[in-house]
Every structure is written in structure tokens, then in C-alpha cells.
Amino acid sequence: MLTRTYYQYYTNVTYLTCPECLSWHGKIARRPQGLPDRKDGCERRLLAFSPRELDYHREQERRMRAAAEAELVRRDLLAQASDALGSDNDVAFSLFRQVVAVDLHVPEVEALCEKRREPLEADPALRRSLRALFAKAYSDKFGHPRYERLPEEMRLARERAGIARINELLA
Ligand SMILES: [Zn+2]
């Protein structure tokens, strides 16, 4: 029996995934050749499925497209927040709160502290507020369902290490 197969493009949506690969996340094609094979370091998997599963995968596609688009918006908000730091901290914090509501990664905090060293070093109260916001967000993110697969001990260790690094960067 010949079952016509569909393919769904999957990449790992994270702060390092390039915009091109994000633009394919969740897309469905009839042939693997209909989906790119970029070999650019981003994760790429093609999930093969049968026509009977098409409705389910269309629904997955909607969720995956929303996640990929949210990540692009998150990066843009983070860049805007970084730029506003030191000149309009109310705007910066309102943007940072939108960023961390989606996700926050320690290397992003490292890059921010490097790039905006001047306004941060000049203002201990600013560092304290940012430290509180980021540490809380980082702790909250490990309560997210996507981390529930990690063993409890590993999750706690990663959470503690991340918060320690945030506290150190913004001391
Ligand atoms: Zn890529």
C-alpha cells in the first residue's frame, strides 16, 4: 500500500536560531525537497506523517509559527530595551518585562551587560531593579512545561547557576 506522506519542518526555537530557519518552523510540504536543508548549524528535523494526521499537524503548524514569530518579536523588543537603557529606564523596563514574559537566556544578559556597560555601571539602583526582574524571570522559566522533562535536580541546578550568573553580572 502506498501512503502519501507529508513532512513538517522542525527547528529548535531559541535565541540562536537564525530568522531564515525560524521562517520555516512548522511549515508542511508534500516532499522533503520542498523544505530547505540549510546545514547552517540550526537544528533541522523533518517529521514525516500520513494524511490522516494532517489536521493535527496543521494545528501544530499554527502553534509553531506563533512560537517562531514570538521569538522574532522578543529579539526586537530586547534590542529596543537595550537601546533605551540609561536614557528612558521606564520604557526600557516596560520592554524588558515583555521580553522576559516570552523567554530570557543568560548569554543575552551577558551581551546586554557588555554592550550597555556605561549606563549600568553608573546606576546601582538600575542594576538592582534589572537583577530582580531577570532573576525572577529566570526562576519562573524553569516552572514552564517545556522544562518539566528535565530531572528535578538538573532543573534546580540550571536555575541556580543562571540566577547566580545574573546576580554576578548585575552586582
Ligand atoms: Zn538557521
Side-chain angles (χ1 to χ4, degrees):
M1 192 183 76
L2 210 146
T3 310
R4 196 190 285 279
T5 308
Y6 288 84
Y7 297 86
Q8 184 160 39
Y9 194 96
Y10 171 90
T11 189
N12 187 21
V13 178
T14 180
Y15 69 106
L16 293 173
T17 319
C18 78
E20 181 65 20
C21 291
L22 284 177
S23 77
W24 286 97
H25 186 56
K27 295 274 174 74
I28 293 168
R30 305 297 288 265
R31 298 173 307 120
Q33 295 85 345
L35 298 164
D37 188 7
R38 293 171 42 78
K39 296 192 173 71
D40 64 352
C42 299
E43 187 174 344
R44 172 196 189 263
R45 268 189 285 150
L46 298 188
L47 312 169
F49 61 91
S50 73
R52 284 190 305 126
E53 301 167 295
L54 188 56
D55 283 349
Y56 168 78
H57 283 274
R58 287 273 180 234
E59 183 52 39
Q60 291 294 100
E61 179 181 21
R62 276 189 286 278
R63 286 197 321 106
M64 291 161 84
R65 294 306 314 136
E69 276 148 31
E71 171 57 18
L72 289 172
V73 170
R74 191 190 72 85
R75 290 178 195 179
D76 188 43
L77 294 172
L78 179 58
Q80 288 181 46
S82 169
D83 289 346
L85 212 56
S87 52
D88 193 337
N89 290 331
D90 287 344
V91 166
F93 268 81
S94 140
L95 293 166
F96 278 131
R97 275 191 286 272
Q98 295 176 59
V99 169
V100 303
V102 181
D103 210 347
L104 178 70
H105 304 269
V106 169
E108 292 177 323
V109 181
E110 290 171 340
L112 174 75
C113 291
E114 177 69 32
K115 191 174 175 215
R116 303 312 319 275
R117 187 189 299 266
E118 259 178 50
L120 286 168
E121 277 185 356
D123 191 345
L126 177 62
R127 291 202 302 278
R128 196 178 325 121
S129 307
L130 212 49
R131 195 164 71 221
L133 177 69
F134 288 170
K136 165 86 167 55
Y138 202 77
S139 172
D140 287 350
K141 99 177 209 164
F142 284 91
H144 191 278
R146 101 187 88 140
Y147 289 101
E148 276 171 10
R149 285 167 294 168
L150 288 180
E152 176 79 6
E153 221 169 285
M154 193 187 288
R155 200 164 68 197
L156 285 173
R158 277 177 60 176
E159 180 180 332
R160 273 195 303 265
I163 291 171
R165 182 69 179 134
I166 288 166
N167 286 334
E168 176 190 31
L169 285 161
L170 292 162

